[in-house]
Amino acid sequence: MPNPSRAALIDRLPKAELHLHIEGSLEPELLFALAERNGVAIPFASVEEVRAAYSFFNLQDFLDIYYQGMSVLLHEQDFYDLTWAYLLRADADNVRHVEIFFDPQGHTERGLAFETVLSGIERALKDGEVQLGISYRLIMCFLRHLSEEEAFATLDQAMPYLDRIHGVGLDSSEVGHPPAKFSRVFARARDLGLHVTAHAGEEGPPEYVHQALDLLEVERIDHGNRALEDAALVSRIADEGLTLTVCPLSNLRLCVIKDIADSPVRRMLDLGLKATINSDDPAYFGGYINANFHAVAEALDLTEAEIVKLAENSFTGSFLPLTDQARHLNEIAEAVHG
Ligand code: ADE
Ligand code: ZN
């Protein structure tokens, strides 16, 4: 049964989104508009056809279409439009802080300049800060299906812009590409003062989560579903207070779970883990952050206290300074009582 007071609480709570691939927010309408504007041929005749193609059996199925979608992004303005469209949706869901992933290798491989990608995304983020009051951090991901050498080359390309990039992440095809493959790149990123996070345990085994912690020294874990299979790992994540960026609708659409009621959020909260709710690639998975909150709140019958905890975790798990986190926690308290 829908619970109206719980739903209203979700809508009015301030939130941070910590797991969002900006390229995964490319809605079919914008895909079409950019294809036309840039003269790029796409294998779809209508928005409806595009949406119908968004049916996936696993992560790789999705990634094939996700990388294909990027082909319409050519100019700085395209990255601006993409990011601005996401920020407007995030604002409507009362997101007050975003930590956005981008995949430079998905673009530089196609001949675009690193700066074109960075500048377009960043210009929109700066406008979002001023016009919408949404603060941001930018996280550059390495594509794990590519080599260590290519990841190092990407980090080299980023060197002139390190004052504009806050962290590095690791994404793309997980199984067969363990975190260990990127130990040395992450060590270099940490030496450069960058924050570090990585996708682990989405499809890959608990061992990959161990590696992300031990070898990459990540500050948080993106997804982390399969960490729950390993009791010692669960204790470690709880003891270290590590944040998990869970993506419920993504898990459902990528067949990581069979039913939204199987979302790991319930077990993570019960085990004292610091779970957060995120949308991952909302244009492909059928919902932005509030849709993800609503789906799990209904399916898992989350209490209002649990929903508030998830919103609090999103700020305390962010890379914001403690003073900013405290300000957002106060705003959450006001939203609860108001
Ligand atoms: N790239 C975009 N979304 C992803 C996901 N959910 N897992 C791995 N790589 C991704
Ligand atoms: Zn992701």
Side-chain angles (χ1 to χ4, degrees), residues 306-321:
E306 286 170 330
I307 289 162
V308 170
K309 183 78 190 152
L310 288 165
E312 288 173 346
N313 289 349
S314 74
F315 290 107
T316 58
S318 76
F319 296 143
L320 282 170

mmCIF file with all atom_site columns, all heavy atoms in Angstrom, residues 306-321:
data_model
loop_
_atom_site.group_PDB
_atom_site.id
_atom_site.type_symbol
_atom_site.label_atom_id
_atom_site.label_alt_id
_atom_site.label_comp_id
_atom_site.label_asym_id
_atom_site.label_entity_id
_atom_site.label_seq_id
_atom_site.pdbx_PDB_ins_code
_atom_site.Cartn_x
_atom_site.Cartn_y
_atom_site.Cartn_z
_atom_site.occupancy
_atom_site.B_iso_or_equiv
_atom_site.pdbx_formal_charge
_atom_site.auth_seq_id
_atom_site.auth_comp_id
_atom_site.auth_asym_id
_atom_site.auth_atom_id
_atom_site.pdbx_PDB_model_num
ATOM 1   N N   . GLU A 1 306 ? 14.254 5.271  8.957  1.00 0.00 ? 306 GLU A N   1
ATOM 2   C CA  . GLU A 1 306 ? 15.220 4.664  8.022  1.00 0.00 ? 306 GLU A CA  1
ATOM 3   C C   . GLU A 1 306 ? 15.421 5.555  6.793  1.00 0.00 ? 306 GLU A C   1
ATOM 4   O O   . GLU A 1 306 ? 16.542 5.683  6.284  1.00 0.00 ? 306 GLU A O   1
ATOM 5   C CB  . GLU A 1 306 ? 14.740 3.267  7.602  1.00 0.00 ? 306 GLU A CB  1
ATOM 6   C CG  . GLU A 1 306 ? 14.927 2.236  8.715  1.00 0.00 ? 306 GLU A CG  1
ATOM 7   C CD  . GLU A 1 306 ? 14.244 0.900  8.439  1.00 0.00 ? 306 GLU A CD  1
ATOM 8   O OE1 . GLU A 1 306 ? 13.189 0.874  7.744  1.00 0.00 ? 306 GLU A OE1 1
ATOM 9   O OE2 . GLU A 1 306 ? 14.748 -0.115 8.931  1.00 0.00 ? 306 GLU A OE2 1
ATOM 10  N N   . ILE A 1 307 ? 14.351 6.169  6.340  1.00 0.00 ? 307 ILE A N   1
ATOM 11  C CA  . ILE A 1 307 ? 14.465 7.061  5.177  1.00 0.00 ? 307 ILE A CA  1
ATOM 12  C C   . ILE A 1 307 ? 15.335 8.277  5.527  1.00 0.00 ? 307 ILE A C   1
ATOM 13  O O   . ILE A 1 307 ? 16.204 8.684  4.749  1.00 0.00 ? 307 ILE A O   1
ATOM 14  C CB  . ILE A 1 307 ? 13.062 7.483  4.688  1.00 0.00 ? 307 ILE A CB  1
ATOM 15  C CG1 . ILE A 1 307 ? 12.394 6.261  4.045  1.00 0.00 ? 307 ILE A CG1 1
ATOM 16  C CG2 . ILE A 1 307 ? 13.123 8.647  3.723  1.00 0.00 ? 307 ILE A CG2 1
ATOM 17  C CD1 . ILE A 1 307 ? 10.907 6.376  3.908  1.00 0.00 ? 307 ILE A CD1 1
ATOM 18  N N   . VAL A 1 308 ? 15.110 8.809  6.713  1.00 0.00 ? 308 VAL A N   1
ATOM 19  C CA  . VAL A 1 308 ? 15.915 9.955  7.157  1.00 0.00 ? 308 VAL A CA  1
ATOM 20  C C   . VAL A 1 308 ? 17.383 9.537  7.260  1.00 0.00 ? 308 VAL A C   1
ATOM 21  O O   . VAL A 1 308 ? 18.289 10.261 6.833  1.00 0.00 ? 308 VAL A O   1
ATOM 22  C CB  . VAL A 1 308 ? 15.388 10.501 8.512  1.00 0.00 ? 308 VAL A CB  1
ATOM 23  C CG1 . VAL A 1 308 ? 16.356 11.520 9.104  1.00 0.00 ? 308 VAL A CG1 1
ATOM 24  C CG2 . VAL A 1 308 ? 13.994 11.110 8.319  1.00 0.00 ? 308 VAL A CG2 1
ATOM 25  N N   . LYS A 1 309 ? 17.621 8.346  7.787  1.00 0.00 ? 309 LYS A N   1
ATOM 26  C CA  . LYS A 1 309 ? 18.996 7.831  7.925  1.00 0.00 ? 309 LYS A CA  1
ATOM 27  C C   . LYS A 1 309 ? 19.671 7.748  6.548  1.00 0.00 ? 309 LYS A C   1
ATOM 28  O O   . LYS A 1 309 ? 20.838 8.122  6.386  1.00 0.00 ? 309 LYS A O   1
ATOM 29  C CB  . LYS A 1 309 ? 18.947 6.449  8.580  1.00 0.00 ? 309 LYS A CB  1
ATOM 30  C CG  . LYS A 1 309 ? 20.268 5.836  8.848  1.00 0.00 ? 309 LYS A CG  1
ATOM 31  C CD  . LYS A 1 309 ? 20.889 6.463  10.087 1.00 0.00 ? 309 LYS A CD  1
ATOM 32  C CE  . LYS A 1 309 ? 22.324 6.053  10.260 1.00 0.00 ? 309 LYS A CE  1
ATOM 33  N NZ  . LYS A 1 309 ? 23.095 7.076  10.968 1.00 0.00 ? 309 LYS A NZ  1
ATOM 34  N N   . LEU A 1 310 ? 18.937 7.261  5.553  1.00 0.00 ? 310 LEU A N   1
ATOM 35  C CA  . LEU A 1 310 ? 19.503 7.143  4.203  1.00 0.00 ? 310 LEU A CA  1
ATOM 36  C C   . LEU A 1 310 ? 19.884 8.529  3.655  1.00 0.00 ? 310 LEU A C   1
ATOM 37  O O   . LEU A 1 310 ? 20.928 8.684  3.010  1.00 0.00 ? 310 LEU A O   1
ATOM 38  C CB  . LEU A 1 310 ? 18.506 6.450  3.268  1.00 0.00 ? 310 LEU A CB  1
ATOM 39  C CG  . LEU A 1 310 ? 18.317 4.943  3.509  1.00 0.00 ? 310 LEU A CG  1
ATOM 40  C CD1 . LEU A 1 310 ? 17.055 4.431  2.804  1.00 0.00 ? 310 LEU A CD1 1
ATOM 41  C CD2 . LEU A 1 310 ? 19.546 4.153  3.040  1.00 0.00 ? 310 LEU A CD2 1
ATOM 42  N N   . ALA A 1 311 ? 19.018 9.509  3.912  1.00 0.00 ? 311 ALA A N   1
ATOM 43  C CA  . ALA A 1 311 ? 19.323 10.872 3.450  1.00 0.00 ? 311 ALA A CA  1
ATOM 44  C C   . ALA A 1 311 ? 20.539 11.422 4.204  1.00 0.00 ? 311 ALA A C   1
ATOM 45  O O   . ALA A 1 311 ? 21.440 12.033 3.604  1.00 0.00 ? 311 ALA A O   1
ATOM 46  C CB  . ALA A 1 311 ? 18.112 11.776 3.636  1.00 0.00 ? 311 ALA A CB  1
ATOM 47  N N   . GLU A 1 312 ? 20.594 11.181 5.518  1.00 0.00 ? 312 GLU A N   1
ATOM 48  C CA  . GLU A 1 312 ? 21.756 11.645 6.307  1.00 0.00 ? 312 GLU A CA  1
ATOM 49  C C   . GLU A 1 312 ? 23.042 10.985 5.796  1.00 0.00 ? 312 GLU A C   1
ATOM 50  O O   . GLU A 1 312 ? 24.072 11.647 5.648  1.00 0.00 ? 312 GLU A O   1
ATOM 51  C CB  . GLU A 1 312 ? 21.553 11.309 7.794  1.00 0.00 ? 312 GLU A CB  1
ATOM 52  C CG  . GLU A 1 312 ? 20.496 12.170 8.452  1.00 0.00 ? 312 GLU A CG  1
ATOM 53  C CD  . GLU A 1 312 ? 20.162 11.718 9.884  1.00 0.00 ? 312 GLU A CD  1
ATOM 54  O OE1 . GLU A 1 312 ? 20.546 10.594 10.283 1.00 0.00 ? 312 GLU A OE1 1
ATOM 55  O OE2 . GLU A 1 312 ? 19.481 12.490 10.572 1.00 0.00 ? 312 GLU A OE2 1
ATOM 56  N N   . ASN A 1 313 ? 22.964 9.673  5.532  1.00 0.00 ? 313 ASN A N   1
ATOM 57  C CA  . ASN A 1 313 ? 24.147 8.952  5.041  1.00 0.00 ? 313 ASN A CA  1
ATOM 58  C C   . ASN A 1 313 ? 24.674 9.558  3.740  1.00 0.00 ? 313 ASN A C   1
ATOM 59  O O   . ASN A 1 313 ? 25.877 9.523  3.472  1.00 0.00 ? 313 ASN A O   1
ATOM 60  C CB  . ASN A 1 313 ? 23.806 7.477  4.781  1.00 0.00 ? 313 ASN A CB  1
ATOM 61  C CG  . ASN A 1 313 ? 23.588 6.684  6.064  1.00 0.00 ? 313 ASN A CG  1
ATOM 62  O OD1 . ASN A 1 313 ? 23.888 7.166  7.158  1.00 0.00 ? 313 ASN A OD1 1
ATOM 63  N ND2 . ASN A 1 313 ? 23.053 5.479  5.930  1.00 0.00 ? 313 ASN A ND2 1
ATOM 64  N N   . SER A 1 314 ? 23.754 10.082 2.927  1.00 0.00 ? 314 SER A N   1
ATOM 65  C CA  . SER A 1 314 ? 24.200 10.617 1.635  1.00 0.00 ? 314 SER A CA  1
ATOM 66  C C   . SER A 1 314 ? 25.105 11.829 1.827  1.00 0.00 ? 314 SER A C   1
ATOM 67  O O   . SER A 1 314 ? 26.020 12.057 1.029  1.00 0.00 ? 314 SER A O   1
ATOM 68  C CB  . SER A 1 314 ? 23.007 10.941 0.724  1.00 0.00 ? 314 SER A CB  1
ATOM 69  O OG  . SER A 1 314 ? 22.324 12.113 1.134  1.00 0.00 ? 314 SER A OG  1
ATOM 70  N N   . PHE A 1 315 ? 24.879 12.584 2.893  1.00 0.00 ? 315 PHE A N   1
ATOM 71  C CA  . PHE A 1 315 ? 25.761 13.735 3.156  1.00 0.00 ? 315 PHE A CA  1
ATOM 72  C C   . PHE A 1 315 ? 27.000 13.321 3.947  1.00 0.00 ? 315 PHE A C   1
ATOM 73  O O   . PHE A 1 315 ? 28.115 13.751 3.634  1.00 0.00 ? 315 PHE A O   1
ATOM 74  C CB  . PHE A 1 315 ? 24.994 14.839 3.893  1.00 0.00 ? 315 PHE A CB  1
ATOM 75  C CG  . PHE A 1 315 ? 23.977 15.515 3.012  1.00 0.00 ? 315 PHE A CG  1
ATOM 76  C CD1 . PHE A 1 315 ? 22.618 15.279 3.178  1.00 0.00 ? 315 PHE A CD1 1
ATOM 77  C CD2 . PHE A 1 315 ? 24.383 16.358 1.989  1.00 0.00 ? 315 PHE A CD2 1
ATOM 78  C CE1 . PHE A 1 315 ? 21.677 15.872 2.341  1.00 0.00 ? 315 PHE A CE1 1
ATOM 79  C CE2 . PHE A 1 315 ? 23.451 16.966 1.151  1.00 0.00 ? 315 PHE A CE2 1
ATOM 80  C CZ  . PHE A 1 315 ? 22.090 16.719 1.333  1.00 0.00 ? 315 PHE A CZ  1
ATOM 81  N N   . THR A 1 316 ? 26.830 12.462 4.953  1.00 0.00 ? 316 THR A N   1
ATOM 82  C CA  . THR A 1 316 ? 28.003 12.080 5.762  1.00 0.00 ? 316 THR A CA  1
ATOM 83  C C   . THR A 1 316 ? 28.924 11.152 4.963  1.00 0.00 ? 316 THR A C   1
ATOM 84  O O   . THR A 1 316 ? 30.099 11.015 5.301  1.00 0.00 ? 316 THR A O   1
ATOM 85  C CB  . THR A 1 316 ? 27.593 11.424 7.102  1.00 0.00 ? 316 THR A CB  1
ATOM 86  O OG1 . THR A 1 316 ? 26.795 10.272 6.823  1.00 0.00 ? 316 THR A OG1 1
ATOM 87  C CG2 . THR A 1 316 ? 26.796 12.392 7.962  1.00 0.00 ? 316 THR A CG2 1
ATOM 88  N N   . GLY A 1 317 ? 28.399 10.533 3.905  1.00 0.00 ? 317 GLY A N   1
ATOM 89  C CA  . GLY A 1 317 ? 29.238 9.699  3.033  1.00 0.00 ? 317 GLY A CA  1
ATOM 90  C C   . GLY A 1 317 ? 29.823 10.478 1.869  1.00 0.00 ? 317 GLY A C   1
ATOM 91  O O   . GLY A 1 317 ? 30.522 9.906  1.026  1.00 0.00 ? 317 GLY A O   1
ATOM 92  N N   . SER A 1 318 ? 29.537 11.771 1.795  1.00 0.00 ? 318 SER A N   1
ATOM 93  C CA  . SER A 1 318 ? 30.026 12.582 0.669  1.00 0.00 ? 318 SER A CA  1
ATOM 94  C C   . SER A 1 318 ? 31.445 13.061 0.939  1.00 0.00 ? 318 SER A C   1
ATOM 95  O O   . SER A 1 318 ? 31.971 12.881 2.040  1.00 0.00 ? 318 SER A O   1
ATOM 96  C CB  . SER A 1 318 ? 29.109 13.796 0.468  1.00 0.00 ? 318 SER A CB  1
ATOM 97  O OG  . SER A 1 318 ? 29.377 14.760 1.489  1.00 0.00 ? 318 SER A OG  1
ATOM 98  N N   . PHE A 1 319 ? 32.029 13.701 -0.064 1.00 0.00 ? 319 PHE A N   1
ATOM 99  C CA  . PHE A 1 319 ? 33.366 14.261 0.096  1.00 0.00 ? 319 PHE A CA  1
ATOM 100 C C   . PHE A 1 319 ? 33.303 15.730 0.552  1.00 0.00 ? 319 PHE A C   1
ATOM 101 O O   . PHE A 1 319 ? 34.295 16.450 0.478  1.00 0.00 ? 319 PHE A O   1
ATOM 102 C CB  . PHE A 1 319 ? 34.152 14.146 -1.222 1.00 0.00 ? 319 PHE A CB  1
ATOM 103 C CG  . PHE A 1 319 ? 34.403 12.717 -1.660 1.00 0.00 ? 319 PHE A CG  1
ATOM 104 C CD1 . PHE A 1 319 ? 34.368 12.366 -3.012 1.00 0.00 ? 319 PHE A CD1 1
ATOM 105 C CD2 . PHE A 1 319 ? 34.683 11.719 -0.734 1.00 0.00 ? 319 PHE A CD2 1
ATOM 106 C CE1 . PHE A 1 319 ? 34.609 11.050 -3.420 1.00 0.00 ? 319 PHE A CE1 1
ATOM 107 C CE2 . PHE A 1 319 ? 34.926 10.405 -1.131 1.00 0.00 ? 319 PHE A CE2 1
ATOM 108 C CZ  . PHE A 1 319 ? 34.886 10.071 -2.475 1.00 0.00 ? 319 PHE A CZ  1
ATOM 109 N N   . LEU A 1 320 ? 32.144 16.162 1.032  1.00 0.00 ? 320 LEU A N   1
ATOM 110 C CA  . LEU A 1 320 ? 32.010 17.532 1.541  1.00 0.00 ? 320 LEU A CA  1
ATOM 111 C C   . LEU A 1 320 ? 32.744 17.682 2.874  1.00 0.00 ? 320 LEU A C   1
ATOM 112 O O   . LEU A 1 320 ? 32.814 16.729 3.653  1.00 0.00 ? 320 LEU A O   1
ATOM 113 C CB  . LEU A 1 320 ? 30.528 17.857 1.776  1.00 0.00 ? 320 LEU A CB  1
ATOM 114 C CG  . LEU A 1 320 ? 29.669 18.200 0.563  1.00 0.00 ? 320 LEU A CG  1
ATOM 115 C CD1 . LEU A 1 320 ? 28.194 18.254 0.970  1.00 0.00 ? 320 LEU A CD1 1
ATOM 116 C CD2 . LEU A 1 320 ? 30.110 19.529 -0.048 1.00 0.00 ? 320 LEU A CD2 1
ATOM 117 N N   . PRO A 1 321 ? 33.256 18.888 3.169  1.00 0.00 ? 321 PRO A N   1
ATOM 118 C CA  . PRO A 1 321 ? 33.826 19.122 4.496  1.00 0.00 ? 321 PRO A CA  1
ATOM 119 C C   . PRO A 1 321 ? 32.757 18.946 5.589  1.00 0.00 ? 321 PRO A C   1
ATOM 120 O O   . PRO A 1 321 ? 31.565 19.113 5.324  1.00 0.00 ? 321 PRO A O   1
ATOM 121 C CB  . PRO A 1 321 ? 34.273 20.590 4.452  1.00 0.00 ? 321 PRO A CB  1
ATOM 122 C CG  . PRO A 1 321 ? 34.143 21.035 3.046  1.00 0.00 ? 321 PRO A CG  1
ATOM 123 C CD  . PRO A 1 321 ? 33.285 20.068 2.300  1.00 0.00 ? 321 PRO A CD  1
#
